[in-house]
Amino acid sequence: MVIMLTILADHNVEAHLDALVNIWTSAEWLELWQMVDCKVCKFASVGLRSTTPDSELWSFCQTNQMLLLTGNRNADGPDSLEMTSLQRNTALSLPVLTFGDPDRVLRDRLYAEAAASRILDYVVSIKNFRGARRLYVP
């Protein structure tokens, strides 16, 4: 059974996802993007609030087979994304995709293309990355 993945942009990187979608849907990337058959979404489109606790967000993504795309790397408190994934991750868990330099995605086209490519690599090979907890982009 093939599970189609969805990439969910964390509330603070929604513009970054827009930049990636512009790359993926450009003439030179479109055929590959269509072959990957991955969906993208934002908090509002799936009924999440920007104030959704990280622990609930992580669980939501696991339950709905969504790869969370974030710039969040902190371990501030027991409910943080880092602490939640440390405590709840299993060998079947989807990793969190984390921008190494989120702001650079918006100002450097080559970096954004490298991020777009890396994300598609992760999506295509997701079975190899389950349980990895966190993967960095690019």
Side-chain angles (χ1 to χ4, degrees), residues 57-125:
L57 176 58
W58 189 88
S59 294
F60 180 87
C61 288
Q62 297 305 314
T63 299
N64 293 287
Q65 294 298 290
M66 294 179 167
L67 288 168
L68 178 63
L69 180 62
T70 185
N72 177 354
R73 297 186 299 269
N74 72 54
D76 295 342
D79 192 47
S80 69
L81 190 56
E82 182 69 9
M83 295 306 294
T84 299
S85 66
L86 278 169
Q87 294 166 356
R88 298 185 189 173
N89 196 62
T90 71
L92 297 177
S93 296
L94 287 170
V96 173
L97 305 180
T98 304
F99 285 119
D101 188 349
D103 294 333
R104 193 169 169 195
V105 172
L106 298 177
R107 69 176 195 278
D108 181 342
R109 174 72 180 200
L110 290 177
Y111 186 86
E113 287 179 351
S117 179
R118 178 68 51 94
I119 290 170
L120 291 186
D121 288 343
Y122 289 149
V123 168
V124 168
S125 304

Side-chain angles (χ1 to χ4, degrees), residues 8-16 41-44 48-54 57 68-72:
L8 172 64
D10 202 346
H11 68 92
N12 60 347
V13 295
E14 290 183 348
H16 304 69
C41 60
K42 299 177 181 179
F43 271 39
L48 294 172
R49 301 173 323 280
S50 63
T51 57
T52 299
D54 286 351
L57 176 58
L68 178 63
L69 180 62
T70 185
N72 177 354

